[in-house]
């Protein structure tokens, strides 16, 4: 499922470049998920597309934290979540 979360931000002059934003997000991933290497981040004009696999209980926190980062205009969720037992989760965010 591809869900989008949008947030109003300050003017464009206050925003980091897409490359800077991607690096900032990648640097924070180890704080947000247990398997940061399983996450792919793409940024275009402040719109963050996040994909990969995370445990179901980590997905909501990850998406909320990304949405609150300075410079992020929108988060497009392409993450698949799995229960800790390894089974896919039906939870949709």
């Amino acid at each position: 499922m591809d869900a989008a979360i949008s947030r109003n931000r300050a003017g464009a002059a206050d925003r980091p470049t897409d490359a800077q934003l991607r690096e900032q997000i990648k640097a924070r991933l180890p704080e947000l998920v247990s398997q940061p290497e399983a996450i792919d981040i793409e940024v275009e004009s402040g719109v963050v597309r996040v994909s990969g696999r995370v445990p179901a209980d980590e997905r909501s926190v990850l998406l909320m934290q990304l949405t609150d980062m300075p410079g992020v205009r929108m988060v497009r969720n392409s993450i698949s979540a799995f229960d800790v037992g390894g089974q896919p989760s039906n939870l949709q965010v």
Side-chain angles (χ1 to χ4, degrees):
M1 177 178 178
D2 185 8
I5 302 169
S6 181
R7 182 106 28 190
N8 285 332
R9 292 284 173 203
D14 297 338
R15 290 190 195 124
T17 66
D18 289 342
Q20 291 170 329
L21 186 55
R22 183 177 184 275
E23 290 308 310
Q24 291 170 4
I25 292 169
K26 296 286 272 183
R28 288 234 22 232
L29 284 179
E31 302 169 26
L32 303 174
V33 295
S34 59
Q35 300 172 342
E37 67 282 354
I39 303 296
D40 185 45
I41 302 291
E42 298 174 27
V43 181
E44 185 174 334
S45 300
V47 177
V48 176
R49 182 179 189 93
V50 57
S51 59
R53 287 178 42 90
V54 297
D57 61 338
E58 295 178 0
R59 180 169 53 182
S60 293
V61 171
L62 172 62
L63 295 173
M64 285 189 290
Q65 290 295 316
L66 292 179
T67 301
D68 287 340
M69 287 187 73
V72 173
R73 291 182 41 230
M74 179 185 295
V75 175
R76 293 203 171 272
N77 172 21
S78 294
I79 290 188
S80 43
F82 60 90
D83 291 331
V84 176
Q87 298 299 319
S89 171
N90 291 329
L91 176 67
Q92 299 294 320
V93 174

